[in-house]
């Protein structure tokens, strides 16, 4: 059975898909009830897996991240703030869940990972910001210190070494625009993962904001930038490995 190209999955379709989808030897749970697949994203959706990683989409989940609280209702004339939901701010959570599922250290979905991290003290009181140490630990992972990439070719050797060794790399990026010069902001705006590297040096990965395909290449100034439709500028990266690995 194949997922319908658009619309919500009806119960009959979910039953026909059965309890698991098998692709390339990797078992991936079917979409949850109410999952919607957008028409606009079809050309960029990867599929159930990429380089052995399950492709998960933060937008499939609307619960609050960590101990975040719903935004208060805006006063008349003021702009309504967004809730700190998984769909809105769950890029780190979703990225770690994909990595943990690939490594076999955690088998749950993104909401289950959220609860596991909460139980392990991975979020501060009233906060949706994750403390990466206990957050990763809750999923059986450990995360390296961040390696900045804000100067030409910074960290390239370490990045290539990790990717070529099959290690997961979680990447902090700033949003860019093809028509505007990219300016580094070390804090970044979003988190994605790099899952592999091609012989020509092109990196590829997954964007949790939609489960989209990503490619990165170095530009003439030594910046690692999104090479496709996602115009990201890489600010730093962290290598993520199972806790038992050395």
């Amino acid at each position: 059975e194949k997922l319908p190209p658009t619309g919500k999955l009806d119960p009959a379709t979910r039953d026909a898909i059965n309890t698991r989808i098998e692709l390339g030897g990797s078992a991936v749970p079917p979409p949850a009830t109410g999952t919607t697949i957008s028409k606009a994203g079809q050309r960029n959706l990867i599929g159930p897996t990429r380089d052995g990683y399950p492709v998960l989409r933060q937008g499939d989940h609307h619960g609050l991240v960590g101990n975040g609280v719903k935004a208060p209702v805006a006063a008349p004339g003021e702009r309504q703030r967004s809730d700190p939901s998984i769909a809105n701010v769950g890029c780190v959570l979703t990225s770690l869940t994909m990595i943990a599922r690939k490594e076999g250290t955690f088998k749950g979905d993104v909401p289950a990972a959220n609860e596991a991290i909460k139980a392990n003290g991975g979020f501060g009181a009233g906060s949706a910001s994750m403390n990466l140490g206990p957050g990763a630990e809750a999923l059986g992972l450990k995360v390296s210190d961040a390696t900045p990439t804000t100067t030409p070719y910074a960290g390239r050797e370490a990045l290539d070494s990790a990717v070529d060794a099959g290690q997961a790399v979680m990447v902090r990026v700033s949003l860019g625009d093809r028509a505007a010069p990219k300016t580094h902001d070390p804090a970044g705006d979003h988190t994605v993962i790099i899952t592999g590297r091609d012989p020509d040096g092109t990196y590829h990965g997954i964007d949790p904001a939609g489960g989209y395909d990503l490619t990165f290449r170095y530009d003439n100034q030594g910046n690692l930038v999104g090479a496709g439709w996602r115009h990201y500028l890489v600010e730093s990266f962290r290598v993520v490995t199972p806790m038992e690995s050395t």
Side-chain angles (χ1 to χ4, degrees):
E1 296 286 347
K2 294 183 179 180
L3 300 181
T6 61
K8 293 186 177 181
L9 301 182
D10 58 86
T13 302
R14 287 193 299 274
D15 290 342
I17 293 173
N18 207 343
T19 57
R20 304 189 78 83
I21 299 171
E22 297 289 336
L23 180 67
S26 297
V28 181
T33 301
T35 295
T36 299
I37 303 174
S38 67
K39 292 181 181 179
Q42 284 301 303
R43 71 186 190 282
N44 299 301
L45 289 173
I46 302 170
T49 62
R50 174 69 186 265
D51 298 327
Y53 292 80
V55 177
L56 304 179
R57 298 180 289 273
Q58 65 189 79
D60 287 346
H61 310 287
H62 298 280
L64 297 177
V65 172
N67 298 314
V69 296
K70 290 180 69 66
V73 176
E78 293 184 359
R79 184 177 179 180
Q80 177 64 45
R81 291 170 50 203
S82 299
D83 291 332
S85 66
I86 296 174
N88 288 333
V89 299
C91 56
V92 174
L93 172 64
T94 306
S95 294
L96 283 176
T97 306
M98 286 191 278
I99 295 168
R101 289 270 294 274
K102 186 259 185 182
E103 297 291 352
T105 60
F106 185 81
K107 298 181 179 180
D109 59 9
V110 178
N114 189 41
E115 293 303 315
I117 293 170
K118 284 171 63 177
N120 201 49
F123 299 100
S127 175
S129 296
M130 187 188 303
N131 182 329
L132 279 176
E137 181 184 70
L139 305 185
L141 302 170
K142 58 184 178 182
V143 180
S144 73
D145 291 337
T147 298
T149 56
T150 52
T151 55
Y153 300 105
R156 184 174 187 175
E157 184 176 345
L159 176 61
D160 287 350
S161 177
V163 173
D164 293 346
Q167 296 175 323
V169 179
M170 195 162 62
V171 180
R172 192 68 178 167
V173 298
S174 292
L175 306 181
D177 188 303
R178 188 179 295 279
K182 291 182 171 68
T183 301
H184 278 291
D185 174 9
D189 303 301
H190 184 47
T191 296
V192 303
I193 61 174
I194 286 177
T195 61
R197 185 167 74 108
D198 294 332
D200 68 357
T202 300
Y203 305 91
H204 42 89
I206 305 169
D207 189 342
Y212 299 120
D213 178 64
L214 291 177
T215 54
F216 291 98
R217 297 189 185 97
Y218 283 96
D219 65 13
N220 293 334
Q221 288 73 48
N223 297 308
L224 188 55
V225 298
W229 73 292
R230 288 294 208 200
H231 309 308
Y232 291 149
L233 174 63
V234 175
E235 304 290 359
S236 63
F237 66 87
R238 297 174 185 267
V239 179
V240 185
T241 54
M243 287 184 64
E244 63 271 18
S245 66
T246 56

